[in-house]
Amino acid sequence: MEKGYVPKREPAAHQVAASMLKNFAGCYLYVEGVSDCSFWNNYVDTTIVKVIACEGWLKVLETVEKVTQEGKKCLGVIDRDFRDYVDYGVKPDNIFLWDCHDMEMTIFKKGSYVRAINSYDKQGKYLEKKNNGFDLLVEALVASDRIGCLKLAEKTNNFGLKFKNKRKNEIETPDYSKLYDRTPKLLDVDKILTYLISWSSSKGYRPIQCINDIKIAYSAVEALNIDSYMLSNGHDLVQILAFLLVKKMKVKTGTIQPDDFESKLYVAFQDKELQSTDLYQRIKNWCEPKGIELFNADSLKIIKN
């Protein structure tokens, strides 16, 4: 199936309210952002399903609740984030979570990322190293896991660390590539923490004093041994891996832009890989008794049991 370009992830440009078509009798699928919207439009029958981008998971929940109360058919898909470890509140039965931490981590776990890397790596350096026992993804995951531990420690303790900053219509995030030296090595957690404290302060948030408490909370999260695909954020991993592919493995000259790498991940994700997710099956199981044909059989080759 030919998949289209997936634009940069940012708050949706179109308003949710404007998406409600008075004469539309189909089903609404609400997702977190425009990249999610473009992704799902590759798989659903857009004549009977309207995929609508919201500004984050909370807006998805609020909109699905409102539209459901109005008697319209709808569902939402959101990132799992840390919901297995932190109480985010009630989740309605028509809100579905990605198998892993987020959409991108699910794609990584399914192995689609190799096809995305190959689009840059014309000489096959990544696969050659991987086949010889060195997988750069593993190294990148160590770094993104350490960031993930800090994020979960912050989520459960509210120290004041910030990992994103909303500025007008854009979301700013830390640039972890700045932490690497000329010869990239594994990112030390102290180095990450120092950078995040500085980055948070630079965005106008309150100064952080409790560094020892953060380290204790970090160690407690680390001791949980959470699976990388449940802990790491996909955007963090994309950013780090894109940097290491160029600086450490030299798969291409210049740079790999994280947004471009993400778009290639979505395109690389194959029909059979989506169909092998728990998310796909849970959505199908919810839709079938209600007579909702969400997926487009013409564009999504259904796997026969």
Side-chain angles (χ1 to χ4, degrees):
M1 178 178 66
E2 186 72 20
K3 299 182 176 67
Y5 173 73
V6 183
K8 180 179 179 181
R9 175 182 289 259
E10 57 188 7
H14 43 296
Q15 297 296 317
V16 173
S19 73
M20 300 302 295
L21 307 176
K22 291 182 180 179
N23 298 323
F24 180 66
C27 180
Y28 292 94
L29 170 57
Y30 293 98
V31 295
E32 292 193 35
V34 290
S35 57
D36 306 77
C37 184
S38 297
F39 174 88
W40 284 105
N41 274 326
N42 287 313
Y43 297 106
V44 302
D45 185 342
T46 55
T47 63
I48 58 176
V49 180
K50 300 298 181 186
V51 185
I52 307 298
C54 300
E55 295 183 14
W57 68 268
L58 190 57
K59 187 67 174 178
V60 173
L61 263 63
E62 292 170 351
T63 306
V64 166
E65 181 180 10
K66 179 178 180 293
V67 175
T68 301
Q69 289 174 352
E70 293 172 355
K72 298 180 175 69
K73 292 180 286 188
C74 71
L75 67 156
V77 175
I78 60 177
D79 292 340
R80 180 174 292 275
D81 293 324
F82 296 117
R83 284 177 172 81
D84 293 336
Y85 309 95
V86 179
D87 183 11
Y88 283 66
V90 177
K91 182 181 76 64
D93 68 351
N94 55 343
I95 293 290
F96 298 90
L97 306 177
W98 277 97
D99 293 15
C100 300
H101 187 94
D102 50 34
M103 177 169 70
E104 292 76 18
M105 292 308 295
T106 303
I107 294 174
F108 271 107
K109 188 169 185 178
K110 291 297 179 181
S112 314
Y113 74 94
V114 174
R115 288 188 290 274
I117 290 175
N118 288 344
S119 66
Y120 302 108
D121 185 14
K122 304 305 182 183
Q123 296 180 13
K125 292 181 179 179
Y126 175 79
L127 277 179
E128 181 183 355
K129 292 281 190 180
K130 189 174 187 292
N131 292 336
N132 288 329
F134 174 74
D135 191 349
L136 194 63
L137 175 65
V138 174
E139 181 173 326
L141 278 169
V142 171
S144 62
D145 279 358
R146 288 171 178 170
I147 297 166
C149 285
L150 285 169
K151 286 184 175 181
L152 184 49
E154 170 62 33
K155 190 79 176 174
T156 53
N157 293 276
N158 194 28
F159 294 120
L161 282 176
K162 300 297 179 183
F163 298 88
K164 64 174 63 175
N165 180 57
K166 188 171 182 179
R167 184 179 181 183
K168 296 182 179 180
N169 289 327
E170 294 187 355
I171 300 293
E172 297 178 308
T173 57
D175 182 0
Y176 297 109
S177 67
K178 292 180 177 179
L179 296 175
Y180 286 95
D181 301 320
R182 281 191 168 184
T183 305
K185 298 178 181 178
L186 284 175
L187 286 187
D188 178 80
V189 65
D190 288 335
K191 197 171 187 179
I192 298 172
L193 179 55
T194 300
Y195 171 66
L196 284 170
I197 290 172
S198 175
W199 189 86
S200 300
S201 298
S202 73
K203 301 305 173 184
Y205 297 104
R206 62 180 172 84
I208 299 169
Q209 307 294 339
C210 48
I211 297 176
N212 286 335
D213 291 338
I214 296 175
K215 289 182 178 180
I216 292 170
Y218 171 90
S219 296
V221 173
E222 189 178 41
L224 296 174
N225 291 317
I226 300 172
D227 181 90
S228 293
Y229 295 97
M230 306 300 285
L231 177 63
S232 282
N233 177 285
H235 306 299
D236 296 340
L237 179 58
V238 163
Q239 184 190 120
I240 294 166
L241 184 57
F243 175 80
L244 291 177
L245 282 167
V246 172
K247 294 299 181 181
K248 190 163 189 172
M249 196 162 281
K250 304 186 186 307
V251 301
K252 71 183 292 289
T253 57
T255 60
I256 296 176
Q257 294 299 323
D259 291 330
D260 186 63
F261 192 10
E262 280 192 15
S263 73
K264 284 180 167 55
L265 276 180
Y266 305 144
V267 172
F269 198 49
Q270 296 182 348
D271 301 347
K272 63 182 180 181
E273 291 162 345
L274 174 64
Q275 291 172 291
S276 70
T277 63
D278 288 339
L279 170 64
Y280 176 84
Q281 195 58 54
R282 291 195 306 272
I283 290 176
K284 279 199 69 180
N285 291 343
W286 181 85
C287 287
E288 287 175 354
K290 299 170 179 58
I292 299 173
E293 293 289 341
L294 192 77
F295 297 104
N296 188 348
D298 292 332
S299 60
L300 184 65
K301 297 178 179 64
I302 304 300
I303 297 174
K304 303 297 183 182
N305 291 326

